[in-house]
Amino acid sequence: MSKEITARSADYSQWYNDLVLKGGLADYSAVKGCMVIKPYGFALWEAMRDVLDRKFKETGHQNAYFPLFIPKSFLSKEAAHIEGFAKECAVVTHYRLKNDPNGGGVVVDPEAKLEEELIVRPTSETIIWNTYKDWIQSYRDLPLLINQWANVVRWEMRTRLFLRTAEFLWQEGHTAHATAEEAVAETTQMLNVYADFAEHYMAVPVVRGVKTANERFAGAVDTYCIEALMQDGKALQAGTSHFLGQNFAKAFNVQFSNKENKLEYVWATSWGVSTRLIGGLIMVHSDDQGLVLPPRIAPLQVVIVPIFKGEEQKATIDAKVHALIADLKKLGVSVKYDDSDNNRPGWKFAEYEMKGVPVRIAIGARDIENGVAEVARRDNKTKETLPLEGLGQRIQDLLEEIQQNLFNKAKTYRDEHITRVDTFEEFKQVLDGKAGFVSAHWDGTSETEEKIKELTKATIRCIPLNNPQEEGVCILTGKPSKERVLFARAY
RNA sequence: CGGGGCGUAGCGUAGCCCGGUUAUCGCGCCACAUUUGGGAUGUGGAGGUCGCAAGUUCGAAUCUUGCCGCCCCGACCA
């Protein structure tokens, strides 16, 4: 009816947009490239944020907040860093408006020009390292383990809801360490936190790996990443964790006295995930009926729809439902009883399917008589009639089953879409056919990587961690190679 | 920045070529009634700077010019 969803097979991008808009996650805004995150979408982000925040704290991090604005001169202190971000920075040049003397509303007051322009943060390494300079003097001040939840702005040419917007929400961890070994350990620890979150909460299987020089974060020594595979066979970088070496410490002159009273530059990491994860979540699990959300981060896990004629039936159903709700809440299950009379049951069924609520329970007079309820799973669209007795526990188990099923399904798909190839012909065939990750030998040079990208639009997503070493030859140049890397077309 | 598309009610649209009653239809919204096991039905009703500005004309949603905005596809990117 009013909420037709484009089929994935007809137009994958349109399908994705339909889910975001009609599922009530976000809207386009009056500002080009920026979206409004609606309550349901934000609830999803909050659910993800809560889990991650807990994990950060469990690994010893604390939250803090740094300014939105960064003096222009800060950004240029690390050469590779500014190189990477310069093209997409929003710049504040004035601090005041005034009435247009020609009567055209307000204009920028030319008198109010800033002496030094401010950059709206595209990422906060520079402002943070400028601050750390004052916080770190001794090895006793280390490690410094800070995370920030914030918005950042990257003025992208072309945007897509959640996947790439001019402003987005994220978290960025910035840590300082006394030794390189400790910083590297932090980098991999946080990569594992992300991977664990993706797999156990989002039910999204990921490949852990390290980026090639081409794809590395601007200013990093090494960029570790988790890569996920979408249903259209394209890859999505779902999170990154960077070992920054001493680059930022040197740029901002952050030194500490070690135990031998010698000055040393500190070692740094930074790591982040963004609202982009929501885009990935949608593209991994959802179907042509709408969103499919994994129970562990679904804003709402269970919806109960009563089916009744008249107040009398309603009262009988209410009594049973309230008992069930009490049970579910006791078990930590989030539940909504939609007994509004505005829409009929069929409408509600369709609506909650669109929104991806994992479990729907329908209870009518007929069920009350039989002491049962109809329980419908969103993930595989099956329905079964279950006794009301002990239903709460059964639902809790079912949610866990759904969580597992979503992960297994996504993992099977992902594993079936990692294809080993040994020639460039096969490589192109796979990319244009079944798509997904392509595991192939590469000669290790940036030039070859660039060339392959030019020819096929595929990039090296990562060199997987613990990658088996094997002799081979580069698919493009035929030069010797010691290991396979994962290529894919990516978002 | 290149290519394409679009701007008419909250949303989706017709009308535009070929200017002429009160701007079309559907969804949604409001009221009432009947309904309620897969997106209900009827009756009545509210809602419009036709993106903005200038021009042509007796008359502009419609023609002309300029401007603005958004979306999609590319290059760039999390």
Side-chain angles (χ1 to χ4, degrees):
Chain A
M1 290 272 295
S2 62
K3 290 196 168 180
E4 284 300 319
I5 295 175
T6 307
R8 281 165 292 185
S9 56
D11 184 342
Y12 192 83
S13 306
Q14 192 53 49
W15 166 78
Y16 174 79
N17 281 333
D18 282 354
L19 290 199
V20 172
L21 297 170
K22 293 172 181 173
L25 298 177
D27 256 338
Y28 293 111
S29 74
V31 184
K32 183 190 171 91
C34 295
M35 64 175 178
V36 173
I37 304 177
K38 296 178 77 176
Y40 193 58
F42 202 79
L44 190 51
W45 177 238
E46 285 176 313
M48 297 164 76
R49 203 184 57 184
D50 288 350
V51 175
L52 286 167
D53 197 64
R54 199 187 70 227
K55 286 176 176 286
F56 297 157
K57 286 169 181 163
E58 282 169 2
T59 44
H61 303 85
Q62 290 181 295
N63 287 329
Y65 189 80
F66 295 85
L68 170 66
F69 302 118
I70 300 176
K72 193 179 71 178
S73 56
F74 283 23
L75 221 53
S76 44
K77 287 190 180 179
E78 212 291 328
H81 189 65
I82 186 63
E83 169 87 26
F85 287 104
K87 288 168 293 179
E88 51 188 34
C89 286
V91 184
V92 180
T93 55
H94 292 75
Y95 58 84
R96 189 164 64 212
L97 300 173
K98 64 172 189 178
N99 286 322
D100 184 354
N102 305 319
V106 288
V107 294
V108 173
D109 186 347
E111 307 272 299
K113 194 168 185 321
L114 288 172
E115 235 164 79
E116 178 176 3
E117 289 96 339
L118 296 172
I119 311 303
V120 181
R121 62 180 166 219
T123 180
S124 302
E125 274 78 5
T126 55
I127 185 78
I128 287 178
W129 279 89
N130 186 70
T131 310
Y132 282 2
K133 179 179 58 189
D134 299 331
W135 290 1
I136 299 168
Q137 275 92 38
S138 152
Y139 71 92
R140 296 176 202 276
D141 297 324
L142 298 172
L144 185 56
L145 306 171
I146 303 281
N147 175 63
Q148 158 168 272
W149 290 95
N151 57 339
V152 288
V153 168
R154 296 182 187 175
W155 214 266
E156 302 290 351
M157 290 300 176
R158 220 169 81 59
T159 59
R160 291 197 71 190
L161 293 165
F162 285 115
L163 296 175
R164 198 186 309 105
T165 46
E167 179 190 12
F168 58 93
L169 305 183
W170 78 346
Q171 59 70 217
E172 46 181 327
H174 296 273
T175 67
H177 306 265
T179 65
E181 295 68 39
E182 194 185 303
V184 169
E186 165 79 3
T187 310
T188 52
Q189 170 183 246
M190 297 323 287
L191 185 78
N192 289 333
V193 164
Y194 289 154
D196 180 76
F197 172 71
E199 301 199 328
H200 292 107
Y201 290 85
M202 293 173 61
V204 171
V206 293
V207 177
R208 296 165 216 215
V210 62
K211 289 288 188 190
T212 61
N214 274 1
E215 302 281 324
R216 197 177 286 152
F217 175 75
V221 173
D222 262 320
T223 287
Y224 294 83
C225 63
I226 52 172
E227 293 283 328
L229 190 64
M230 307 296 106
Q231 289 181 59
D232 63 347
K234 285 170 81 174
L236 182 81
Q237 179 174 307
T240 46
S241 184
H242 316 291
F243 170 56
L244 301 174
Q246 294 175 310
N247 292 346
F248 285 89
K250 285 178 178 166
F252 288 88
N253 195 29
V254 186
Q255 290 178 290
F256 69 99
S257 304
N258 65 17
K259 285 179 185 170
E260 288 76 42
N261 198 27
K262 292 238 168 66
L263 278 182
E264 282 187 60
Y265 286 107
V266 304
W267 298 85
T269 82
S270 70
W271 28 273
V273 296
S274 72
T275 37
R276 172 179 245 208
L277 285 178
I278 295 175
L281 183 75
I282 295 167
M283 285 197 287
V284 168
H285 301 303
S286 300
D287 62 25
D288 290 350
Q289 275 72 50
L291 297 169
V292 175
L293 301 177
R296 288 194 193 162
I297 53 167
L300 182 64
Q301 295 173 315
V302 175
V303 64
I304 303 175
V305 177
I307 297 159
F308 60 94
K309 293 179 192 173
E311 284 306 309
E312 207 174 303
Q313 282 191 1
K314 173 72 166 42
T316 320
I317 293 167
D318 278 355
K320 292 286 184 192
V321 169
H322 288 317
L324 175 59
I325 289 174
D327 273 359
L328 287 170
K329 285 195 170 157
K330 218 177 293 169
L331 293 165
V333 174
S334 67
V335 54
K336 172 180 170 178
Y337 182 32
D338 186 354
D339 63 346
S340 69
D341 204 20
N342 297 332
N343 296 110
R344 299 163 85 240
W347 189 92
K348 292 175 186 173
F349 294 171
E351 182 64 15
Y352 291 109
E353 260 158 38
M354 169 88 72
K355 297 204 143 179
V357 178
V359 170
R360 180 189 71 233
I361 302 175
I363 302 184
R366 187 169 90 194
D367 300 313
I368 299 285
E369 276 175 36
N370 300 326
V372 297
E374 181 194 80
V375 176
R377 291 171 63 152
R378 178 62 185 91
D379 62 330
N380 61 14
K381 307 268 289 168
T382 58
K383 290 190 273 201
E384 56 182 335
T385 300
L386 296 174
L388 279 170
E389 184 68 36
L391 187 59
Q393 186 57 54
R394 179 72 193 94
I395 294 295
Q396 194 191 33
D397 296 344
L398 182 61
L399 287 169
E400 207 37 53
E401 206 176 312
I402 291 170
Q403 180 80 29
Q404 273 311 316
N405 179 49
L406 286 174
F407 178 75
N408 293 341
K409 204 168 133 192
K411 185 158 189 308
T412 302
Y413 177 87
R414 198 278 310 272
D415 290 345
E416 282 169 356
H417 286 79
I418 300 179
T419 313
R420 290 162 69 100
V421 305
D422 293 310
T423 69
F424 196 58
E425 268 316 302
E426 282 178 275
F427 182 80
K428 286 189 289 189
Q429 260 173 30
V430 170
L431 282 175
D432 291 332
K434 81 179 225 190
F437 290 116
V438 186
S439 177
H441 280 283
W442 159 65
D443 65 17
T445 68
S446 290
E447 294 72 41
T448 301
E449 185 178 1
E450 281 295 341
K451 187 76 188 164
I452 291 173
K453 184 179 176 185
E454 231 171 81
L455 293 170
T456 65
K457 289 181 184 164
T459 50
I460 298 177
R461 300 321 302 157
C462 69
I463 303 162
L465 298 186
N466 307 319
N467 208 21
Q469 302 293 298
E470 64 169 50
E471 294 299 322
V473 294
C474 174
I475 50 164
L476 189 71
T477 62
K479 289 181 187 162
S481 153
K482 291 225 178 320
E483 60 182 348
R484 290 172 181 274
V485 297
L486 284 186
F487 287 87
R489 292 191 180 131
Y491 278 95

